[in-house]
Amino acid sequence: MKRICIFGNSHVGALKEGVDSLNRQGALNSVDITIFGSHRDSLKECVVSDGVITSDSDFVRTNFRWTSNGQETVNVADFDEIYVVAGQSFFFVAPFLTRSHLPPLSDTIIEDIMTHRLDGWDMHLARAIAEASPQTQVTHLGEPFFSDEHPRSLNFLREHRRKGGQMPARLDKVQAQLDSKAQEIETENFRIAKPPEQVLEPNRVFTRHELCKDSIGLNEDRDIPHRSDDYFHMNVKYGEMVIRTLVL
Amino acid sequence: MENFYSKLKQRSFWRSGVVDVSPLALADIYSKKWTINPEWEIGTAGSCFAQHIARYMTQNGYNVLDVETAPNGLKPERRQAYGYALYSGRYGNIYTTRQFRQLIEETFAPSPQEVLIWEKDGRFYDALRPNIEPSGFATAQEVADARAYHLERLRILFCNVDMFVFTMGLTEAWVHQRSGRVVPIAPGIIAGGETAPDYSFVNFSYPDVVADFQAAMAVLEANRSKPLRYLLTVSPVPLTATATGGHILTASTYSKAVLRAAAGFLSDNNDNIDYFPSYEIVTNPGNRGTFFAANLRSVRSEGVEVVMKSFFAQHPPETPHPGPASKQKKAVVSTEDVQCEEALLGAFGK
């Protein structure tokens, strides 16, 4: 049985919901999935030492304990695959946008932005996890792209339509360079993955809003729905789609 | 017995206006023509020195527009290297009034103009702003696309601003003979060396400078629906090099004299143009050269501070000016903290 770890911030909530739902459907018989979650950017305080992801923070250890059913640290070698769901997805185009649109960007600016992105704490942590156990496949998935009904998304999509052919060409260029960079930095056991196509709107820039509705927060005791204007956390359907596409 | 000088203020005499006063606090050197309304949207452009003015105004609460912001994910410390966050648009330094005029004419041209493209080592540069992409673009088409976007953004800028701050920097320029357009730096310095025969040298005269600025104003007036005010300054930064073949000191003095006279004429004859004497404040003999860095060109932070203090004395900022010890101020006024392709010419000095 494949042992899988999903390690991340509050966005693991959607994946946990997805895992629970798929378990109920009997769809996860060939995998054993353990989730380690801790809210906001508390994972910044994690370090990888002697093959174990640990944290000095009581907050993080407590969260790990209840999300994983009892473990305060992550022994990397215990897993065949680890998915890191923290930090912005490398494939999210928001860093390339100005307020409401995508300007034409040179390859050097795109490279500059990607380099900055790859220098983020979440990327460093994901790589450190991969280095800790060569037989464990580590994937940086990052947080979901935000909903296509977020006000900034709506502005962008409006501009996108208004510009006709120009914006798709600009977008294609950025996305092609992101794909190429992701391949370039891939190692034997480290890769960066993008969200599955089916969770995204047709431009592949934002998550379909229906996957954002009725999302549930990552809470130990009870199910607390996210606010109705939360455009960032996704729901059980999203979690199912991601697990089915990337993990199974 | 009274004469024409009897009732003049102290500022009108060399001894009491310059010799006997601190160069750090020249009284009455500038009296504003009009008050800057806090609601006004302000545009900035000009030679390198204008970057200081733009940043100081922004950080003191003035509504300085930036219609061409950097992508969100570009690190703040990398933005200026790509020509972002320097001025209200990503046009780089505009050293001459001819450049200013042609930019405005191109912005409002009924049909797209030919894009002047330079090449170097298989990379492509916009000859009218070659410094905005340090490594150039991958293709000539990308240069053209970026320029089209730039002009689209500038139409927003030039139609919306209520006041435009322009710092005149140079009179010497290089003209593309076929199109008549000037470039900010000689071909071959950044790129485009093989196109050098297509360009000729020009040293603009006083009538040229005045006429170019007036022409720019006319195009703006024809394309706008509200009044526009201009704040003119002259950069105190001497030329790095002259292509006249003459001595750099006489060439620099000529340029600055022409620009200063043109700015004065334009201000004296237009109610909507004010002249701010940053040139005089920095080059004041009372400073004994201390406002210039060791290269005798770059203006030291203390000089910029005095210039802006004089400006804000007449145009009090909306938010308090940060104190001298503030980190923010230090970041603003570093002599090296400006993007200035003209300085590259210094490398050619023997």
Side-chain angles (χ1 to χ4, degrees), chain B residues 308-317:
Chain B
M308 296 314 297
K309 211 157 67 179
S310 301
F311 179 80
F312 292 127
Q314 285 289 302
H315 298 287

Side-chain angles (χ1 to χ4, degrees), chain B residues 102-114:
Chain B
Q102 74 186 16
L103 181 66
I104 288 164
E105 287 176 342
E106 186 182 9
T107 299
F108 293 106
S111 55
Q113 297 185 358
E114 176 198 5

